[in-house]
Amino acid sequence: MNETLQTILNHRSIRKFTSEKLSTDQLHTIVGAAQQASTSSYVMAYSIIGITDPQLKEQLAEVSGQPYVKENGHLFVFCADLNRIYQQGSIEDQKQMETSIESTEQFIVTTVDTALAAQNAAIAAESLGLGVCYIGSLRNDISRVNDLLDLPQYVIPLFGLAVGYPAEQPEQKPRLPLEVVYHENTYQHNEKTEKQLQDFNQELTEYYQQRTNNKRVDTWTNQMLRKYTNPIRMDVSSFVRQKQLNKR
């Protein structure tokens, strides 16, 4: 197994970091790796905002409710960005571009581009011996994050990425069996799949009971049922439309 695969397969979320900040070289390496991610039609439809202002970090931590938003080596906010392209056109061009930019297709393009760039950044950081944690909870109050970062039309804050030197080494969380997520030719859902999910629920229950911190009794199925029977962040839909995206 090569070093790249070892880095990927060793991933775990780190939620406690030392106080050591990332160097300029590390930042440039991580962002440079993000920029080398695949991108639809060479659009590169994302922007990355590094948060260095302690007060701003504090405010973002208030939105998230997570202390590691403030306490890390560096905080990145990954934004879907079609504004950069829009600004390249004349007023006449912009009118013609609006139908495409405001479509669901281009909303998918920009969110996928952003996620690909972020995952490249995460793997690059981990290859440098750093830890990472994605922060979707910045969408707890997406309008406030938008205002704090002064984001223009056609730019949306999707998630954060906390990076730093790990102050913990948590156990690796199990993943769904390959057979459950990989299908050949057509979508497969049958009794075998249900049995594999039951086995995974048992594996996860054992993980939660044996791990060092936050022991509990739980299953993947119960987590998903709780999550999707209790809708959250429903304001994100209207916010996205207010930013003139995913409208058509």
Side-chain angles (χ1 to χ4, degrees):
M1 186 179 294
N2 61 47
E3 290 183 8
T4 302
L5 284 173
Q6 288 177 338
T7 298
I8 293 170
L9 295 176
N10 193 48
H11 167 74
R12 61 208 65 203
S13 293
I14 301 298
R15 295 178 173 84
K16 291 183 180 179
F17 301 95
T18 72
S19 58
E20 185 174 355
K21 301 303 179 186
L22 271 60
S23 69
T24 300
D25 283 347
Q26 287 173 320
L27 289 175
H28 289 177
T29 297
I30 291 168
V31 174
Q35 290 187 270
Q36 289 302 118
S38 297
T39 173
S40 177
S41 301
Y42 202 45
V43 175
M44 297 175 280
Y46 57 86
S47 284
I48 306 168
I49 301 177
I51 309 300
T52 58
D53 182 336
Q55 184 176 1
L56 181 54
K57 265 191 169 183
E58 178 73 41
Q59 291 171 309
L60 293 173
E62 289 175 3
V63 171
S64 170
Q66 306 296 341
Y68 45 87
V69 172
K70 180 176 60 173
E71 300 162 1
N72 50 63
H74 198 78
L75 177 64
F76 300 92
V77 178
F78 282 80
C79 301
D81 184 355
L82 290 171
N83 179 73
R84 181 187 300 119
I85 296 164
Y86 184 74
Q87 294 301 329
Q88 300 310 301
S90 65
I91 293 177
E92 189 172 297
D93 291 332
Q94 290 175 344
K95 285 294 182 184
Q96 293 181 332
M97 294 165 70
E98 285 175 0
T99 298
S100 177
I101 284 180
E102 295 175 5
S103 68
T104 297
E105 167 61 18
Q106 293 308 310
F107 181 66
I108 292 174
V109 164
T110 189
T111 52
V112 170
D113 262 21
T114 308
L116 292 174
Q119 188 61 9
N120 258 27
I123 293 171
E126 290 177 331
S127 78
L128 296 172
L130 302 167
V132 304
C133 187
Y134 281 98
I135 307 164
S137 53
L138 289 184
R139 298 191 302 277
N140 285 350
D141 190 343
I142 196 168
S143 294
R144 184 181 178 192
V145 173
N146 175 79
D147 293 344
L148 287 171
L149 302 182
D150 195 25
L151 301 180
Q153 182 183 41
Y154 299 139
V155 179
I156 294 174
L158 293 180
F159 49 81
L161 184 69
V163 180
Y165 289 90
E168 64 173 359
Q169 189 63 17
E171 294 86 353
Q172 192 171 44
K173 202 170 189 178
R175 293 301 197 249
L176 286 167
L178 181 147
E179 296 82 3
V180 172
V181 300
Y182 176 71
H183 308 255
E184 285 193 6
N185 301 317
T186 59
Y187 189 93
Q188 304 293 316
H189 187 82
N190 49 43
E191 292 181 2
K192 184 179 178 181
T193 303
E194 288 303 315
K195 175 62 167 59
Q196 290 165 332
L197 284 173
Q198 290 173 13
D199 291 344
F200 179 70
N201 279 333
Q202 181 59 38
E203 178 186 2
L204 190 62
T205 297
E206 293 172 2
Y207 159 81
Y208 280 132
Q209 292 175 339
Q210 295 171 7
R211 70 180 181 180
T212 304
N213 297 315
N214 191 25
K215 296 179 188 291
R216 68 178 195 260
V217 177
D218 207 351
T219 68
W220 181 80
T221 296
N222 286 340
Q223 286 183 59
M224 296 305 105
L225 290 175
R226 290 197 303 272
K227 179 177 178 63
Y228 288 101
T229 55
N230 295 282
I232 62 171
R233 303 172 189 155
M234 298 303 290
D235 59 311
V236 172
S237 296
S238 59
F239 170 81
V240 169
R241 290 191 292 270
Q242 288 168 12
K243 298 290 286 189
Q244 307 302 314
L245 292 172
N246 198 27
K247 291 177 60 180
R248 304 172 189 258

